[in-house]
Amino acid sequence: MKIIMLGAPGAGKGTQAKMIADKYHVPHISTGDIFRANIKNGTELGMEAKKYMDQGLLVPDELTVKILLDRVGQDDCKEGYVLDGFPRTIPQAEVLDKALANLGESIDYAIDVDVPDENIVERMSGRRACVSCGATYHLKHVPPKKEGICDKCGNELLLRDDDKPDTVLNRLKVYHDQTQPLIQFYGNKGVLKTVDGTQAMEDVFRSIIAILEN
Ligand code: AP5
Ligand code: MG
């Protein structure tokens, strides 16, 4: 099962992708998480990606595509995967398509988690992420048991650098300009499914399962 999560920044792609990956035992692959891990480890790739991420801009396709193709070529991806945050541009989608076609494969579902811009800033400013394991919380919707501490690994929770309101507005603009056209791209391929992302998390997940198990 090969799934792509589409949706604006903060729509809940990561939240749902983790739940899908757990339920169906496939890897959750987030290019944003890969970049953040590289930033944390001070790698060259991380330093380069940070320049763009801090401004709410996309990391150039040349850097992003290679990382993603390497990752989906690994053994644990043989039975499928959930891609979260990739593709984000039409050229990225085309490269992925070609790489899959060479293997006689294709994407099964592109799930668009639909949330209007008005809801996004509130979601992002309340998000807290674990610096160590990447678990995500929300001060109002999914609070950790102990303030500022990850329930799963006990490490510190932080506001992501790119979740400050000005950067969020930039990310939304970039989303509308460069990523939203993918909705039509996957619609034309007949694999697009849309879920209402303004529902409670469990209800969004139920809608997704209904699509996958239909
Ligand atoms: P990335 O990490 O992918 O960020 P994003 O797409 O901006 O999306 P987010 O992770 O912010 O949101 P999400 O949809 O995962 O929402 P979440 O589940 O956390 O990318 C970051 C940056 O990396 C990019 O800006 C770019 O620079 C670079 N990058 C990454 N991939 C790239 C690529 N392919 N090409 C080029 N550059 C790339 O939920 C948000 C919050 O809401 C959480 O607090 C959560 O608890 C809460 N929440 C979730 N669902 C609900 C619900 N149903 N109700 C209430 N609250 C909810
Ligand atoms: Mg995410």
Side-chain angles (χ1 to χ4, degrees), residues 91-105:
Q92 289 183 11
E94 287 172 345
V95 171
L96 177 63
D97 237 31
K98 256 191 214 135
L100 289 175
N102 285 340
L103 301 169
E105 297 174 3

Side-chain angles (χ1 to χ4, degrees), residues 92-166:
Q92 289 183 11
E94 287 172 345
V95 171
L96 177 63
D97 237 31
K98 256 191 214 135
L100 289 175
N102 285 340
L103 301 169
E105 297 174 3
S106 60
I107 291 297
D108 299 301
Y109 300 96
I111 301 176
D112 179 29
V113 183
D114 187 27
V115 175
D117 288 7
E118 303 84 86
N119 304 34
I120 296 291
V121 179
E122 188 264 344
R123 284 210 185 167
M124 310 289 245
S125 57
R127 172 164 59 184
R128 294 296 179 273
C130 176
V131 287
S132 181
C133 75
T136 308
Y137 301 84
H138 190 282
L139 296 181
K140 199 160 90 192
H141 310 296
V142 202
K145 292 196 182 84
K146 198 168 161 211
E147 198 187 319
I149 303 293
C150 179
D151 293 351
K152 294 193 179 116
C153 73
N155 277 294
E156 194 188 355
L157 299 179
L158 290 181
L159 178 70
R160 258 167 53 177
D161 282 341
D162 59 350
D163 277 352
K164 313 214 159 95
D166 278 354

Side-chain angles (χ1 to χ4, degrees), residues 8-15 30-33 35-36 52-53 56-59 64 84-88 92 123-124 126-128 136-138 141-142 160 162-163 171 197 199-201 204:
K13 300 181 297 296
T15 301
S30 155
T31 35
D33 285 352
F35 290 137
R36 281 184 289 276
Y52 300 92
M53 290 170 75
L57 300 174
L58 295 184
V59 177
T64 312
D84 158 19
F86 187 100
R88 250 191 164 84
Q92 289 183 11
R123 284 210 185 167
M124 310 289 245
R127 172 164 59 184
R128 294 296 179 273
T136 308
Y137 301 84
H138 190 282
H141 310 296
V142 202
R160 258 167 53 177
D162 59 350
D163 277 352
R171 286 163 64 196
Q199 306 172 89
M201 278 169 211
V204 179

Side-chain angles (χ1 to χ4, degrees), residues 173-197:
K173 182 175 181 322
V174 167
Y175 166 75
H176 290 299
D177 290 349
Q178 301 193 50
T179 306
Q180 210 170 19
L182 291 174
I183 293 178
Q184 193 176 351
F185 179 93
Y186 287 107
N188 292 343
K189 291 187 177 297
V191 294
L192 179 72
K193 304 284 174 189
T194 304
V195 294
D196 174 3

